[in-house]
Amino acid sequence: MQAQAKAVFAHFIVGNAYGYTTTTYTQEMNLAMAAGIDGFAMNIAGDPWTEDQLDTAYGAAATLNFKLFISFDHAANDGAFGGSFTAANITAYINRYKGEPAQYLYGPDAKPVASTFEGPAHAADWVSVQQSTGCFFIPDWTSIKGAQDVKSTLAPVNGVLSWDVWPNGPTGVSSMIDTAWKSLLRPDQVYMMGVSPWFYTNLPAYSKNWLWRGDNLWHDRWQQVLEVQPDIVEILTWNDYGESHYIGPLHTENFPKGSEVYATDNPHDAWRDLLPYYIAAYKNGNSSSIPVTEEKIVWSHKINPANSGSASGTVGNDPQNPQQTTYSPGQLNLDAINLDVIVQEPSEVTVQIGDNTPTVWQANVAGPNHFLVYWNGQTGTVTYTVSRNGQTVLSTTGATITADCVNGVVNWNAVVGSSS
């Protein structure tokens, strides 16, 4: 079903937005819009500030033509918040905001969109919610296994969102799961495709301490968006600091306990620098006709070699998932730089780590060129240079790769920067 223009949303954790004001929302919505993002999926759980924050967000978004919809976090409510979502209060939330100017509407009947993070056990509640609200329901029920179970559970919904966006093991992410989800949908149902740049979490209070492979992920996943052509894209996430896949500004006062160790002074804003090109290519249907208005270098990587300190109990893959084999984290989080260079014409790219011998790469096409640059045991500050016809056209200094780990522990989060 393609009833309206393609759209890109970023998953926004309201639980990490305590103290946000209209000014804060306006600033961040403007940042999102500058990257080509159309709106936020507002993840809510049981936080006492939820309604105040939704009121403020919807008010700010209305002045910007920025769109919002609510994503009900059943996983958090069934856990930390004790199952506070019922059909009645979900209905109340949707009915309260569905008439707001900023509410995202979908389909020929302009129904208000609602979503979830998990919660397939609550599928029956959502049947009555749909009847009481007229919502256009696109849940994330990625945990359902088995094609027939999925098909029967999805029968009443208007579409599906997949959070199955991180690789299982040392190989790169595949779009096969996306095509599998799409194959289960009727023509009148939509597919919302999840896209994420990274995953690392170490939150003892939540018994979470693992990573999934992030190398090449931001680039590969957007290439798969072009291949799959979903109706909607949801970026995971804008502000989930605890899982290291945030692309919005840092707010240390809202860091989940434990994440300050690896997220403090570690912004990921530069991942957004690639989005205007990626999103324009998605909405256009291909990347060949998207003009390059600004040449750019964007880099991301961890700063510590995998064997330079303690892993602090971190493993590769989710140890609580019986369908995943655990690895040592260094097998999945490589000693390498994810390098993206957007150029107006073919160029030469030079990468130098410390005082070591530079490596030279060829950016062969106008537009984005992606490289995975292995460290090969080298440490030091990284410099990047783009040249054409023997002349430097762009250069920037990146982060310092160091075996000197803070408190002797490897930080598996990505450092991200750009030439902007």
Side-chain angles (χ1 to χ4, degrees), residues 85-135:
F85 282 147
T86 64
N89 61 22
I90 291 172
T91 296
Y93 270 115
I94 296 173
N95 282 338
R96 175 169 175 170
Y97 295 101
K98 69 181 184 182
E100 291 290 324
Q103 173 64 46
Y104 182 51
L105 307 174
Y106 202 93
D109 298 327
K111 294 182 176 182
V113 171
S115 186
T116 71
F117 177 69
E118 284 301 337
H122 300 272
D125 288 343
W126 277 95
V127 173
S128 65
V129 169
Q130 288 174 271
Q131 294 169 347
S132 301
T133 65
C135 71

Side-chain angles (χ1 to χ4, degrees), residues 317-383:
N317 277 356
D318 179 1
Q320 301 173 36
N321 186 336
Q323 296 182 325
Q324 295 195 348
T325 300
T326 56
Y327 295 79
S328 66
Q331 290 178 273
L332 273 58
N333 190 316
L334 304 178
D335 289 353
I337 298 165
N338 295 271
L339 177 62
D340 293 275
V341 180
I342 300 178
V343 292
Q344 293 176 335
E345 55 187 282
S347 306
E348 186 175 89
V349 181
T350 303
V351 181
Q352 184 174 20
I353 301 174
D355 296 325
N356 297 286
T357 302
T359 57
V360 180
W361 304 77
Q362 298 300 318
N364 292 320
V365 298
N369 296 258
H370 177 76
F371 310 97
L372 189 63
V373 182
Y374 287 89
W375 303 348
N376 294 322
Q378 300 174 354
T379 58
T381 301
V382 188
T383 56

Side-chain angles (χ1 to χ4, degrees), residues 255-313:
F255 282 4
K257 185 177 180 180
S259 64
E260 69 280 354
V261 175
Y262 50 89
T264 299
D265 297 325
N266 199 359
H268 290 173
D269 300 77
W271 268 326
R272 296 197 310 272
D273 289 353
L274 296 167
L275 287 180
Y277 194 93
Y278 287 152
I279 292 174
Y282 156 59
K283 291 184 176 181
N284 186 60
N286 66 76
S287 60
S288 60
S289 61
I290 307 302
V292 176
T293 57
E294 180 184 3
E295 297 188 295
K296 195 164 294 190
I297 300 167
V298 180
W299 46 266
S300 60
H301 57 88
K302 67 179 184 295
I303 61 169
N304 304 132
N307 63 358
S308 62
S310 167
S312 190

Side-chain angles (χ1 to χ4, degrees), residues 31-48:
L31 290 174
M33 293 170 68
I37 296 169
D38 299 295
F40 287 157
M42 304 295 285
N43 173 296
I44 66 169
D47 302 287

Side-chain angles (χ1 to χ4, degrees), residues 201-209 240 242-243 256-259 262:
T201 183
N202 189 351
L203 300 176
Y206 297 92
S207 301
K208 297 169 62 174
N209 189 5
D240 193 333
E243 294 184 352
K257 185 177 180 180
S259 64
Y262 50 89

Side-chain angles (χ1 to χ4, degrees), residues 167-188:
N168 178 357
T171 56
V173 68
S174 168
S175 63
M176 291 179 63
I177 190 67
D178 301 289
T179 56
W181 277 111
K182 287 187 72 175
S183 72
L184 297 171
L185 298 177
R186 301 184 308 268
D188 64 326

